[in-house]
Amino acid sequence: MCGIVGYIGPQQAAGLLTEGLARLEHRGYDSAGVAVLGSRLQVVKKAGRVRDLVDALPKRFAGKVGIGHTRWATHGPANDTNAHPHVSADGRVAVVHNGIVDNAASLRERLTEAGVELASDTDTEVFAHLIGLSTADTLEAKVVDALSQVEGTWGLAVVHADFPDRMVVARNGSPLIVGVGDGEMYVASDLAAVVRHTTTVAHLDDGELATVTATGFTTFRQDLTTTTTTAREVDVDPSAYEYGELDGEPRMFTEIHEQPSSVERALRGRLDERFGTAHLGGLNLDPRELRAIRRVKILGCGSAYYVGQMGAGLIEELARVPADAEAASEFRYRNPIIEPDTLYVAVSQSGETIDTLLAVQEIKRKGGRVLGVVNVVGSAIARAVDGGIYLHAGPEIAVASTKALTNMYVAFSLLALQLGRVRDLSIADGKRLIAGLQALPTQIEEILKSESHLEEIAARLAEAESMFFVGRVRGYPVAREGAQKLKEISYRHAEAYQTSELKHGPLALISESVPTVAIVPKDELTDRNVAALHEISARRGPLVVVTHPDVDLGELDALRVDVPKNEVELDPILMTIPLQLIAFHAAKALGHDVDKPRNLAKSVTVE
Ligand code: AGP
């Protein structure tokens, strides 16, 4: 969603800012803008893409201090006026903001009564006016003055024509990092924006602010007392953050094909073959504490929620602990009962999803223990939890998640294994699962080899306006994720259903123009699954069946996708891979921008 980048140093800022903004494009946005401070403060902002902004920049746009923003519309439509930066009435203050001002309506009213003419429909504009109107002496005090009147969340960057040697940035619920360069400094909402220039960064804490000059930064709290946040080298490969296509292919394609190696990374050093268990040091739970867990509750949003559902199934099967998954976006609104012997697990690729973060905070407020299953190191959720499992999927750029989801599943397998082995899971079963996990990379490679077959199937599905994805028990969350992936990038309607529920309603919709993608693993439900497929076929519904080589589909008229067999508990992970490729090729066949689907953002940082 919204992205922030800022620069102060010896170079002209504009090019660095727009380049940083382009690196945030994958997060999703609808307008972009920059402000630079030279002999005067200049602002240019445009609805549309960063390249539209670049085209709109005047020839003379000089300044060595500047801030930039990509906006995802919340208050007011996506147009040039509502784009950030927003400026004060006297044109001397410019601000960019991620987050939401909860009391924007009353602040806007107060400002209007005080004679301020508001230019935009946004909540952010109030920051610019409040800072501009503050009578405090320093920029820091002016910003603090403004923040004390605002309720809500912010990642904020401010420049002021009266203080040309500095920027002030602030964080409260929306990430903000300070990047240390050589005689120059950067600020950003996301490492991707600055990683080409520096990998030495400081993460601000909620409630913290920083003054950033060309030579360094100092941090402080809203009461202006100093804090000791320091910058650290982060261990990342800057080339992994390159934006745009790689070798002429969309990032989603690269990320799907990277899965054999990203799964290997998730497993590395975490398997104990001798005792048939996993070692997840980051859980911060000893065996006695693990044994004391009576229930597991997994919280995530969208696809992370669906993988959470797969994870809950695994935990129940392997550890025999009651487990379930719930959409984090709904959780805190039903005043959830937080139990001391329940282990709560927040799952998120970005570690920034606000609904998941707020669920974590609600649990912690009520004294619960929360683990994170997170990809982005140092992200808000990773920092808020009591322990957790990093996914090690590497940066995921495409909006449609693939490799991170696969690694979430691997992480849940490891958690289930460790929980199981302190309970009744036998050492033999533990070893069986470890062998299954170790086989995954090669088996994923095998599935990726069938890409041309999947491309043909995708082209057929792309012709349908609407379709079903069905599965049972372990296969149901796989169907949900398959439908989600297809929906988000091909814009075709896809509905996931439990195969067993078809006859209770949706069968009425089956016809020759409504295909069904069915998940039919070789397991205790194969015969029942196949029987349901006959019911679909009898109503002339076209079928795509994702199954195992030794499943006999009899006379069924179906396009078949065979996936290598693993242990039953791990089959879902492999059955998800062909669905990624089907969604990818359907979107491509329809001519869509696969990496940047309409209306979607990579990190959903607003409620
Ligand atoms: C995945 O393809 C989706 N774009 C989306 O559902 C995503 O999984 C969800 O928004 C949660 O994101 P997170 O993992 O970063 O929390």
Side-chain angles (χ1 to χ4, degrees):
M1 287 197 142
C2 303
I4 290 176
V5 61
Y7 173 80
I8 182 163
Q11 305 188 61
Q12 288 298 331
L16 292 164
L17 295 176
T18 51
E19 184 235 27
L21 293 180
R23 286 173 189 278
L24 296 177
E25 281 198 301
H26 67 278
R27 294 169 57 97
Y29 70 107
D30 44 46
S31 52
V34 284
V36 294
L37 190 50
S39 54
R40 64 195 169 98
L41 183 65
Q42 281 180 279
V43 178
V44 177
K45 42 198 204 164
K46 278 289 244 194
R49 294 287 181 198
V50 173
R51 61 175 173 271
D52 301 317
L53 171 69
V54 173
D55 292 344
L57 292 182
K59 283 219 170 61
R60 294 167 67 82
F61 197 63
K64 297 178 180 176
V65 189
I67 51 179
H69 191 261
T70 46
R71 172 177 186 251
W72 170 277
T74 55
H75 289 64
N79 58 31
D80 294 357
T81 313
N82 288 336
H84 302 204
H86 288 281
V87 290
S88 57
D90 62 5
R92 299 190 72 72
V93 182
V95 300
V96 291
H97 165 228
N98 289 354
I100 302 268
V101 178
D102 293 335
N103 58 339
S106 63
L107 287 173
R108 284 174 65 92
E109 209 175 292
R110 229 169 69 202
L111 286 163
T112 310
E113 278 165 13
V116 174
E117 255 183 60
L118 292 159
S120 74
D121 311 309
T122 66
D123 53 345
T124 298
E125 190 184 346
V126 301
F127 282 110
H129 295 300
L130 293 173
I131 296 167
L133 291 172
S134 168
T135 52
D137 294 340
T138 63
L139 180 54
E140 292 74 2
K142 284 177 189 291
V143 174
V144 161
D145 216 5
L147 293 184
S148 67
Q149 299 170 66
V150 172
E151 289 158 24
T153 53
W154 54 82
L156 190 74
V158 183
V159 290
H160 195 310
D162 295 348
F163 305 92
D165 67 333
R166 63 195 54 209
M167 287 184 279
V168 169
V169 294
R171 171 193 169 134
N172 188 39
S174 216
L176 214 291
I177 58 169
V178 179
V180 180
D182 188 7
E184 58 186 11
M185 297 286 291
Y186 294 84
V187 300
S189 54
D190 188 314
L191 187 61
V194 298
V195 76
R196 205 170 73 91
H197 306 288
T198 178
T199 49
T200 307
V201 298
H203 290 263
L204 294 194
D205 275 327
D206 278 342
E208 208 173 22
L209 297 92
T211 301
V212 185
T213 65
T215 52
F217 72 102
T218 50
T219 54
F220 54 99
R221 291 189 203 93
Q222 239 170 274
D223 59 7
L224 292 172
T225 55
T226 55
T227 56
T228 54
T229 300
T230 50
R232 294 218 171 88
E233 184 64 26
V234 286
D235 183 20
V236 294
D237 171 12
S239 68
Y241 288 83
E242 287 305 313
Y243 59 93
E245 296 190 336
L246 264 192
D247 304 325
E249 292 289 355
R251 295 304 285 252
M252 185 183 176
F253 177 89
T254 324
E255 287 162 6
I256 289 173
H257 283 266
E258 207 189 310
Q259 291 176 108
S261 57
S262 56
V263 166
E264 248 167 41
R265 279 201 300 275
L267 291 173
R268 199 167 295 153
R270 288 168 160 175
L271 294 175
D272 180 340
E273 292 178 58
R274 191 158 158 234
F275 294 107
T277 188
H279 281 309
L280 296 165
L283 300 185
N284 301 331
L285 291 166
D286 63 30
R288 191 186 293 253
E289 289 170 309
L290 281 175
R291 270 197 72 87
I293 293 164
R294 291 277 153 264
R295 182 179 292 278
V296 178
K297 175 95 185 169
I298 299 169
L299 296 155
C301 291
S303 296
Y305 160 42
Y306 303 146
V307 184
Q309 217 180 8
M310 297 180 201
L314 261 173
I315 289 167
E316 281 203 351
E317 275 196 80
L318 298 181
R320 302 306 296 157
V321 179
D324 75 322
E326 182 174 341
S329 48
E330 292 286 305
F331 178 72
R332 81 195 171 100
Y333 288 103
R334 56 176 186 77
N335 191 18
I337 298 162
I338 302 301
E339 296 157 316
D341 48 7
T342 294
L343 178 66
Y344 295 87
V345 184
V347 55
S348 172
Q349 184 286 131
S350 61
E352 270 185 45
T353 302
I354 194 78
D355 288 319
T356 312
L357 179 62
L358 292 172
V360 169
Q361 289 169 351
E362 172 75 4
I363 297 163
K364 296 205 72 174
R365 243 190 314 273
K366 292 181 171 175
R369 183 198 288 271
V370 198
L371 294 183
V373 172
V374 171
N375 196 34
V376 178
V377 176
S379 56
I381 294 172
R383 285 143 55 97
V385 290
D386 301 301
I389 312 170
Y390 274 124
L391 299 178
H392 298 301
E396 192 178 64
I397 306 293
V399 167
S401 186
T402 53
K403 62 174 182 168
L405 298 179
T406 302
N407 278 19
M408 282 174 194
Y409 190 92
V410 171
F412 281 122
S413 312
L414 295 169
L415 180 61
L417 190 56
Q418 194 163 336
L419 276 173
R421 287 289 293 124
V422 296
R423 291 184 159 72
D424 299 331
L425 187 75
S426 69
I427 190 163
D429 269 334
K431 287 183 174 181
R432 173 177 70 78
L433 282 151
I434 287 182
L437 285 166
Q438 286 168 330
L440 286 174
T442 313
Q443 291 183 316
I444 295 174
E445 248 159 39
E446 222 172 291
I447 297 169
L448 298 178
K449 282 187 196 142
S450 61
E451 183 154 6
S452 55
H453 175 52
L454 295 167
E455 190 173 352
E456 280 166 32
I457 291 174
R460 301 267 279 274
L461 289 177
E463 287 167 15
E465 287 295 332
S466 188
M467 67 201 83
F468 283 106
F469 280 69
V470 298
R472 292 194 70 169
V473 190
R474 298 183 199 103
Y476 176 52
V478 176
R480 293 185 92 183
E481 171 49 19
Q484 164 101 329
K485 205 91 304 161
L486 194 106
K487 267 187 280 212
E488 60 182 342
I489 55 172
S490 77
Y491 318 148
R492 291 300 197 221
H493 174 243
E495 191 171 349
Y497 244 90
Q498 289 104 329
T499 317
S500 52
E501 282 288 300
L502 278 179
K503 58 185 178 298
H504 297 294
L507 207 53
L509 286 172
I510 297 294
S511 74
E512 56 202 351
S513 59
V514 180
T516 299
V517 179
I519 311 302
V520 185
K522 176 79 183 161
D523 62 10
E524 59 283 4
L525 286 168
T526 312
D527 293 345
R528 288 179 193 278
N529 270 319
V530 174
L533 300 192
H534 279 286
E535 289 180 29
I536 295 169
S537 197
R539 285 153 187 86
R540 289 188 295 160
L543 280 168
V544 174
V545 185
V546 181
T547 188
H548 287 125
D550 56 351
V551 170
D552 181 7
L553 296 180
E555 298 298 299
L556 261 187
D557 181 15
L559 292 167
R560 182 176 179 130
V561 176
D562 277 320
V563 168
K565 183 83 185 84
N566 197 304
E567 300 301 326
V568 278
E569 299 91 336
L570 302 177
D571 283 332
I573 201 165
L574 291 169
M575 299 216 139
T576 309
I577 312 290
L579 303 184
Q580 300 171 344
L581 283 167
I582 286 176
F584 172 82
H585 284 291
K588 230 177 135 187
L590 291 163
H592 300 316
D593 183 344
V594 177
D595 284 346
K596 295 190 207 89
R598 69 184 183 201
N599 304 340
L600 294 182
K602 184 67 182 163
S603 311
V604 184
T605 49
V606 292
E607 264 199 270

